[in-house]
Structure formats: structure tokens, C-alpha cells
Amino acid sequence: MIHLDGNSIGGLLSDVFGRDVTDASGRCRECGAENFVGALHVYRAAGVVVRCPSCSAVLMRFVAARDEVWVDLGGLLGSGLEPLRETRVHVMHGGEVVDGRAEP
Amino acid sequence: MGEVTETVTETPRVRTLVLDVPGWTGHRAGQHVDVRLTAEDGYQAERSYSLASAPGEPPALTVERLDDGELSPYLVDEVVRGDRFELRGPIGGYFVWDHDGSTEPLFLVAGGSGVVPLMAMLRHRRAVGSTVPAKLLYSSRSLDDVIYRDELDRLGAEVVQTLTREQPPGWGGYGRRVDVDMLREVSYPPDESPRVFVCGPTNFVEAVAEGLVALGHRPGRIRTERFGGT
């Protein structure tokens, strides 16, 4: 399956984070590689899966439906990226929706 | 919402739409917008298109028709002046080149309509009178597919073209797909620390990026924008 770059989902990312984050960097929880968000590998199907360019681990997942979006940033370390605290943004950890973002 | 103020036919498959977008605050060279069209039954489709114009100019999208595309046939063949559609942007802070006083040469590699965001960079460079050395390596299928053909000579940058499928008699450029030998001949050497931007279909971008790394360019200096699908 072919992939795109993180910059291709800049619009979706600014919906979630409230600003452009394609030039922010994040670290892969699996292999430790640090990359710009714009350089991450993006796979689009029913949802959007963002993988590490170095080891292919899943870093972020997004599912958008109507005007709401579900977000899982579980594969990313130390990015400093914080989703907006808005009702249309739902944060998941390992498949569990934890609205309000209490870290499990 | 953006309103189409002008259309420019670039090739039989490619058209530029110049837009008026109320509240547009300007863009950076290399950024894109997301265009969203809504059908009468409420079905929505959204795609990203690169901005072709230099910062400071009205936003212009150059769109290539994909025969199985959901949006591009409409944007290339049907939209007329005065039509309006929903768009979001400008988007992206990664695949951008700003005139920021740095003197590092600019090496741009385009496959097909991947030339669009790179054209915004070259137009920006020309508009601000930048003296940064710049080179574009541009791969198209045939001469008829070359986008911005007349403008390429007037950019004040070195433009090297390759035509992969069909070359006219007397063609002076390359006549094959971009490969490592071509990149070695055309690119600035790694020790000149060029800033490299590569845009095109996924397999094109992969081949170019791998070739440049094999020639000693640091992966961190190479920024890519792949496009694929519909």
C-alpha cells in the first residue's frame, strides 16, 4: 500500500491540534527515531494511520466522521502535541476512548 | 469559500484556477489547501491541492485531471469563472521554502504535477530577487505534458527536463526516468548543503530520495511530498 507524507494531512492535524504541526517533531515509542510530523508516513483508508518512517510502528491514528474526530497518539513520545480540548475531538488510548484526556 | 476569478489551461490534462478567497492572509511557497466539494445528496469529498502562486499573489491551484478522480475532473473540465467552492488553508509548515536570507542552493525535483509547489518556490525566489542558486529537475511524460512550459525559461533558475515516454525530434534534455546518474549530473554536490525538495507520485519520490541519499545527501536535508490515488 502506498503512503503519503505527514504534510498531506496538515489540514486534519490543524483541526485536531488547533495549529499547523507539520514542522513539529516527535519521537517513535518503538525505535526512538525522531522525525518531523511532515515527514511521517501516512496511510489512508477508512481512517488515517501515521507510521514511523524508520521502523513502521504506528505513531498516530485518526478517524474522522462528520465533524468529529477520534485521535490516538499512543505511539508518539515527547512530541508536546496536545489535541484541542473540544467536544468534537475525542482522544483514545489503546482503543479506549478517554474523553477529557485523563492519562490512563 | 473561494471564488474562481481566472482559469488557465496549462496542458490538455492540467488547469490552473486563480481564486479570490475573502480573508486570505497570504501563504508560503510550498503550502497546499484542502478543497471540499459537497454533492446535492450531501456526499462530501475532500482533496489537497498545492498552491502554485508566489506568496503575495492571489492563491492559485494547478490541478491535474485523474480519470478516476472524484474532484479533479470537475476542477479541470467544468469549473468556470465565478464558481465557488469550500476550501481550507493555507496548510503546511514543513514542505515550504521561505526567502529567509540563507544562501544554501535550492535543488528541486518534480515528477509530473509535482512541479506545482516547486513552481511556487521558484516564483517566490524570482519575485523577491533572491540570488540563491536554484535548479529544477523536472520529469514529464512528453512535451505536451510539461506544465508551465513557457514560464520555465523565464524563472531565472536552471531548469533541466527529462521526457520519459516521448521526446520530440532534436530534444536536448534527458529522455529517461530520473536515476542516480542523472541526479549526480544535475544536483548540487552534498558538500554545498543544498536544500532539497522532491514532489511527485510516491514511487518517483522514493526513487529520487533514495538516489540522493546514495549520493551522500543527508536524509534530513531532503523534504518530500508524495501524492497518490484519486
Side-chain angles (χ1 to χ4, degrees):
Chain A
M1 186 176 172
I2 64 166
H3 63 83
L4 301 175
D5 307 88
N7 41 308
S8 70
I9 56 165
L12 169 69
L13 294 172
S14 39
D15 274 354
V16 171
F17 298 107
R19 61 189 171 98
D20 187 89
V21 298
T22 53
D23 60 350
S25 62
R27 190 177 295 279
C28 172
R29 187 181 289 275
E30 287 294 322
C31 76
E34 186 155 1
N35 283 286
F36 288 110
V37 170
L40 301 177
H41 289 183
V42 169
Y43 296 80
R44 302 192 85 131
V48 174
V49 175
V50 181
R51 291 180 179 272
C52 173
S54 304
C55 76
S56 294
V58 174
L59 304 181
M60 302 190 272
R61 294 184 297 152
F62 303 90
V63 178
R66 295 181 194 87
D67 287 326
E68 296 182 76
V69 55
W70 281 259
V71 184
D72 175 9
L73 306 179
L76 213 50
L77 277 179
S79 65
L81 298 180
E82 271 289 315
L84 290 173
R85 293 173 180 273
E86 288 184 9
T87 50
R88 60 186 181 77
V89 179
H90 308 278
V91 178
M92 305 182 293
H93 290 273
E96 299 268 321
V97 179
V98 285
D99 263 329
R101 244 154 316 112
E103 188 74 35
Chain B
M1 292 292 274
E3 180 175 328
V4 177
T5 59
E6 187 188 346
T7 66
V8 181
T9 299
E10 307 281 2
T11 79
R13 304 174 51 82
V14 176
R15 194 158 73 142
T16 293
L17 307 177
V18 183
L19 304 175
D20 176 45
V21 183
W24 185 259
T25 54
H27 62 276
R28 297 165 72 190
Q31 288 190 306
H32 66 268
V33 299
D34 288 347
V35 173
R36 179 186 280 182
L37 297 181
T38 305
E40 281 174 13
D41 64 1
Y43 174 76
Q44 289 189 327
E46 187 176 81
R47 294 292 181 274
S48 300
Y49 295 102
S50 288
L51 289 154
S53 46
E57 293 175 359
L61 311 180
T62 300
V63 181
E64 177 182 23
R65 183 198 321 112
L66 305 171
D67 294 330
D68 55 352
E70 286 191 314
L71 264 60
S72 63
Y74 170 73
L75 295 173
V76 174
D77 299 330
E78 292 181 36
V79 161
V80 295
R81 195 171 354 161
D83 282 351
R84 292 151 64 91
F85 47 77
E86 197 179 340
L87 61 81
R88 166 171 65 170
I91 295 165
Y94 173 74
F95 195 84
V96 294
W97 180 75
D98 299 316
H99 172 59
D100 57 6
S102 94
T103 56
E104 293 154 334
L106 190 57
F107 183 49
L108 311 175
V109 190
S113 59
V115 74
V116 177
L118 309 183
M119 194 63 176
M121 296 178 191
L122 290 169
R123 285 170 167 167
H124 180 40
R125 175 181 167 278
R126 179 182 56 189
V128 299
S130 166
T131 54
V132 167
K135 215 183 273 194
L136 169 68
L137 173 59
Y138 180 14
S139 173
S140 310
R141 288 175 183 169
S142 73
L143 199 57
D144 287 342
D145 293 308
V146 176
I147 306 168
Y148 315 127
R149 198 161 113 195
D150 295 333
E151 195 180 340
L152 295 176
D153 298 332
R154 296 187 270 111
L155 285 168
E158 189 181 342
V159 178
V160 178
Q161 292 196 64
T162 184
L163 301 179
T164 57
R165 290 211 183 148
E166 191 185 321
Q167 303 85 30
W171 173 245
Y174 288 102
R176 61 180 200 268
R177 286 171 180 244
V178 175
D179 55 28
V180 175
D181 288 337
M182 194 185 299
L183 289 168
R184 183 186 294 111
E185 288 163 21
V186 178
S187 68
Y188 298 102
D191 60 12
E192 291 182 21
S193 299
R195 294 162 79 171
V196 185
F197 294 88
V198 185
C199 187
T202 294
N203 51 1
F204 174 88
V205 169
E206 296 284 324
V208 171
E210 282 173 20
L212 288 168
V213 170
L215 291 171
H217 291 269
R218 292 210 320 274
R221 301 289 300 177
I222 304 168
R223 299 204 166 189
T224 61
E225 181 159 88
R226 299 164 174 84
F227 56 75
T230 56

